[in-house]
């Protein structure tokens, strides 16, 4: 009997600490194993059969994370859903994924039952409260024996479906197999040198690949422990850092931490590694973290569909602004977005990846899956990038963010970097907006550093000697802040919509 992912992630000795919470709860690997057995029994009784989806739409808690492993143990397919989703989005996910069980907060039980009925796909609603006690799921699990015969699952069986953020069109469900998740967790554990002595500050959401798989799977595989925070809050992270060895964050974590007086050499003395990913880390933030703490943040690149693809190294150069070389076992190439021809080193093009980390396709969308894979198995990521002579990859933006102005290609990142380097600029986002003459007009949306005074004219003048005329913004819009999602990604589609009429109807 074997269940590829579950067996590997729960092989740690029962007495070792799995996680602790700020309110003093401490759960060992033995508790996790027992909890998954109890939860899996409830799931099976509720009708979950091998391959069935179990959707979870609850706030972060140790039990919510245990539910992921319980679903895998019961042979199911875990489907986490952000609690910020709207009614329309939930209706779509329920209809599309047809979960056998839908887990929601006790306060939303009635609503959820209505949604499941409206979806017409069957399935049972169970509830799980954020306090680790309330809800029908835990009530049914309580007092059960810790015996559950783990359901057999092979490497190519699905362990999870994660819907992509889907900034254009409908979200797509990325199907991730046991092999996809375990192979990536194994290689990252080794590449980042995780051991049973590691203590990770976990302040990421657990509905997304970063907090759910990268963070939790690696620590479980290494047998280390987590300080499990409900969300990112600078004060709570700073309280935890002196006892931690590692921090994984999105760039926003670091831009917020550098504003805190307590983020210094003493509070971070016990840390061995700070990792950033899910969105680009500004070179300036990288430098600020180093100046304050002496640590060079390790930046890596991945996506829901592929797990992690590249990473700066533990030993060796961590180069700001790059995401490092491809990870061992990941094939990565740069191709011409139009023709698919492989491009030489140093040329910007589409990033394509292949390896055990790459997902099995989009749930119930064979045409979309086929359109995003090459015949030789490479997945077309949609990210544009370049590989340097040193083998390090630099991402220049999403393909759909590429600006074509007067027939010229402009890569937003190049313009953003030039603007970010100007005195008084905190950050910028460069977008293409419909323009009557140029097709798209390069437009910069800029945030000033605290206390700095910026002007459109001043920024345009400063860029003159630095960028070719076609790359320079036609307009600069000064704003208080950039719109970001929970993973720290700037929402360029939102900016394009907001300012769409800038150059006329
Ligand atoms: P998600 O599927 O939500 O994890 O989003 C994946 C996307 O985030 C990638 O396709 C990239 O566009 C972006 N991304 C992830 N890591 C980085 C990084 N280190 N630098 C720049 N973009 C990144």
């Amino acid at each position: 009997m074997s269940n590829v992912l579950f067996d590997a992630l729960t092989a740690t000795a029962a007495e070792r600490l799995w996680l602790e919470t700020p309110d003093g709860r401490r759960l060992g690997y033995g508790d996790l194993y027992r909890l998954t057995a109890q939860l899996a029994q409830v799931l099976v009784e509720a009708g979950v059969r091998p391959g069935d989806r179990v959707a979870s739409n609850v706030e972060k808690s140790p039990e919510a994370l245990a539910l992921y492993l319980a679903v895998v143990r019961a042979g199911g397919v875990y489907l986490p859903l952000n609690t910020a989703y709207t009614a329309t989005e939930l209706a779509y996910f329920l209809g599309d994924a047809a979960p056998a069980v839908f887990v929601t907060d006790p306060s939303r039980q009635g609503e959820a039952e209505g949604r499941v009925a409206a979806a017409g796909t069957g399935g049972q609603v169970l509830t799980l409260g954020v306090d680790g006690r309330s809800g029908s799921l835990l009530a049914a699990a309580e007092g059960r024996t810790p015996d559950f015969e783990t359901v057999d699952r092979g490497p190519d069986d699905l362990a999870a479906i994660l819907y992509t953020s889907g900034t254009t069109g409908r979200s797509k469900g990325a199907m991730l197999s046991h092999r996809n998740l375990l192979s990536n967790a194994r290689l990252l554990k080794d590449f980042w040198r995780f051991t049973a002595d590691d203590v990770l500050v976990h302040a990421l959401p657990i509905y997304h690949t970063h907090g759910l798989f990268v963070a939790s799977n690696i620590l479980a595989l290494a047998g280390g422990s987590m300080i499990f925070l409900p969300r990112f809050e600078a004060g709570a992270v700073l309280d935890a850092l002196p006892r931690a060895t590692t921090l994984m964050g999105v760039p926003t974590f670091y831009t917020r931490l550098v504003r805190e007086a307590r983020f210094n050499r003493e509070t971070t003395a016990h840390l061995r590694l700070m990792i950033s990913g899910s969105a680009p880390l500004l070179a300036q933030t990288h430098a600020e973290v180093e100046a304050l703490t002496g640590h060079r943040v390790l930046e890596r690149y991945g996506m829901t569909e592929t797990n992690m693809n590249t990473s700066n190294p533990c030993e060796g150069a961590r180069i700001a602004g790059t995401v490092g070389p491809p990870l061992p076992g990941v094939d990565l190439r740069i191709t011409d977005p139009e023709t698919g021809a492989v491009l030489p080193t140093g040329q910007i093009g589409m990033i394509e990846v292949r390896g055990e980390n790459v997902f099995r396709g989009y749930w119930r969308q064979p045409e979309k899956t086929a359109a995003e894979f090459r015949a030789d198995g490479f997945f077309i990521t949609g990210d544009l990038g370049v590989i340097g002579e040193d083998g390090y990859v630099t991402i220049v933006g999403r393909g759909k963010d590429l600006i074509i102005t007067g027939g010229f290609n402009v890569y937003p990142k190049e313009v953003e970097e030039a603007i970010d380097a100007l005195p008084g600029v905190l950050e910028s986002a460069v977008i293409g907006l419909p323009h009557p003459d140029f097709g798209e007009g390069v437009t910069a949306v800029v945030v000033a550093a605290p206390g700095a005074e910026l002007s459109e004219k001043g920024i345009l003048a400063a860029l003159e000697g630095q960028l070719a005329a076609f790359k320079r913004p036609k307009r600069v819009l000064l704003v208080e802040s950039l719109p970001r999602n929970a993973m720290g990604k700037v929402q360029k589609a939102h900016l394009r919509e907001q300012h769409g009429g800038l150059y006329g109807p």
Side-chain angles (χ1 to χ4, degrees):
M1 288 286 170
S2 85
N3 179 308
V4 170
L5 184 63
F6 179 79
D7 293 348
L9 295 185
T10 54
T12 301
E15 63 280 6
R16 289 199 62 94
L17 182 66
W18 172 47
L19 61 74
E20 61 177 277
T21 64
D23 56 4
R25 298 184 62 203
R26 291 169 67 82
L27 278 79
Y29 280 92
D31 298 316
L32 171 65
Y33 197 75
R34 191 172 325 113
L35 196 51
T36 59
Q38 294 168 326
L39 293 173
Q41 291 172 51
V42 179
L43 292 173
V44 169
E45 278 169 26
V48 175
R49 300 287 166 267
D52 279 353
R53 280 74 56 213
V54 175
S56 169
N57 188 219
V58 297
E59 299 300 338
K60 181 176 178 182
S61 70
E63 286 71 20
L65 186 57
L67 175 61
Y68 146 53
L69 291 172
V71 171
V72 174
R73 185 169 187 183
V77 179
Y78 185 65
L79 172 59
L81 295 169
N82 187 344
T83 47
Y85 280 137
T86 61
T88 321
E89 288 164 327
L90 285 178
Y92 166 69
F93 295 127
L94 291 180
D96 191 47
V101 167
F102 178 53
V103 184
T104 191
D105 189 83
S107 64
R108 291 200 297 263
Q109 179 169 2
E111 216 175 285
E113 282 166 352
R115 279 191 221 302
V116 169
T121 49
Q124 188 170 329
V125 173
L126 292 171
T127 61
L128 174 61
V130 69
D131 55 10
R133 287 188 301 276
S134 57
S136 58
L137 180 60
L138 290 176
E142 211 184 291
R144 287 184 185 251
T145 65
D147 307 313
F148 176 80
E149 198 166 323
T150 303
V151 175
D152 263 354
R153 292 271 90 185
D156 292 322
D157 287 322
L158 295 190
I161 295 178
L162 264 61
Y163 280 89
T164 59
S165 25
T167 43
T168 49
R170 288 282 197 201
S171 275
K172 293 166 284 184
M175 299 189 289
L176 295 152
S177 69
H178 283 240
R179 185 203 309 272
N180 293 151
L181 297 177
L182 182 58
S183 67
N184 207 240
R186 280 203 170 122
L187 93 83
L188 292 172
K189 171 180 103 43
D190 293 342
F191 198 76
W192 293 337
R193 314 263 187 272
F194 273 85
T195 70
D197 294 331
D198 273 303
V199 180
L200 173 85
V201 178
H202 191 307
L204 293 157
I206 56 167
Y207 54 76
H208 183 268
T209 185
H210 195 165
L212 181 62
F213 299 139
V214 183
S216 314
N217 284 356
I218 294 179
L219 266 291
L221 203 56
S225 71
M226 301 187 280
I227 302 174
F228 205 64
L229 305 177
R231 67 193 68 81
F232 177 84
E233 198 267 302
V237 170
L238 287 163
D239 289 344
L241 284 183
R243 289 177 298 123
T245 61
T246 49
L247 172 67
M248 285 186 195
V250 295
T252 324
F253 284 21
Y254 297 99
T255 54
R256 296 208 184 141
L257 284 170
V258 296
R259 290 188 225 140
E260 301 285 325
R262 278 201 288 152
F263 191 57
N264 56 35
R265 281 172 193 268
E266 283 105 73
T267 46
T268 61
H270 193 244
L271 281 186
R272 66 171 186 86
L273 190 58
M274 292 190 211
I275 302 178
S276 177
S278 291
L281 183 76
L282 293 175
Q284 188 195 332
T285 312
H286 197 278
E288 283 170 339
V289 173
E290 186 169 17
L292 292 171
T293 67
H295 289 276
R296 286 183 71 76
V297 178
L298 179 156
E299 187 169 5
R300 93 307 181 271
Y301 156 64
M303 61 197 301
T304 302
E305 290 93 329
T306 63
N307 296 287
M308 300 305 105
N309 295 312
T310 74
S311 174
N312 277 280
C314 269
E315 285 99 40
R318 296 181 197 163
I319 305 179
T322 83
V323 292
L327 286 158
V330 177
D331 294 332
L332 185 148
R333 67 187 183 192
I334 306 289
T335 61
D336 182 318
E338 302 293 320
T339 65
V342 178
L343 296 174
T345 304
Q347 281 198 31
I348 293 176
M350 181 59 69
I351 300 177
E352 296 186 5
V353 294
R354 184 173 65 182
E356 291 196 316
N357 54 312
V358 176
F359 74 136
R360 312 237 23 220
Y362 293 113
W363 172 253
R364 291 186 174 159
Q365 304 221 39
E367 317 78 41
K368 284 206 170 127
T369 304
E372 296 192 25
F373 278 90
R374 303 275 181 209
D376 58 1
F378 275 85
F379 171 64
I380 307 165
T381 62
D383 289 314
L384 296 171
V386 57
I387 307 181
E389 289 296 341
D390 54 7
Y392 280 52
V393 176
T394 301
I395 295 173
V396 301
R398 293 291 295 166
K400 61 181 185 298
D401 294 330
L402 174 75
I403 304 167
I404 305 180
T405 179
F408 291 107
N409 284 0
V410 175
Y411 298 100
K413 188 170 179 197
E414 187 185 357
V415 185
E416 287 161 4
E417 281 181 344
I419 296 174
D420 293 347
L422 298 175
V425 172
L426 181 67
E427 58 175 353
S428 62
V430 169
I431 52 173
L433 295 178
H435 191 289
D437 284 344
F438 296 96
E440 283 186 297
V442 178
T443 309
V445 185
V446 177
V447 182
E453 293 260 336
L454 293 174
S455 74
E456 177 170 19
K457 245 172 106 188
I459 291 175
L460 290 174
L463 292 175
E464 250 171 54
Q466 297 198 35
L467 292 171
F470 73 93
K471 294 180 188 170
R472 291 204 295 267
K474 304 268 176 289
R475 290 289 313 272
V476 174
L477 308 174
L478 295 164
V479 298
E480 292 289 311
S481 64
L482 296 176
R484 284 200 151 80
N485 71 9
M487 300 310 293
K489 289 185 218 296
V490 175
Q491 294 172 301
K492 289 195 170 179
H494 179 73
L495 286 175
R496 282 193 289 262
E497 209 170 285
Q498 194 183 353
H499 302 293
L502 191 65
Y503 302 108

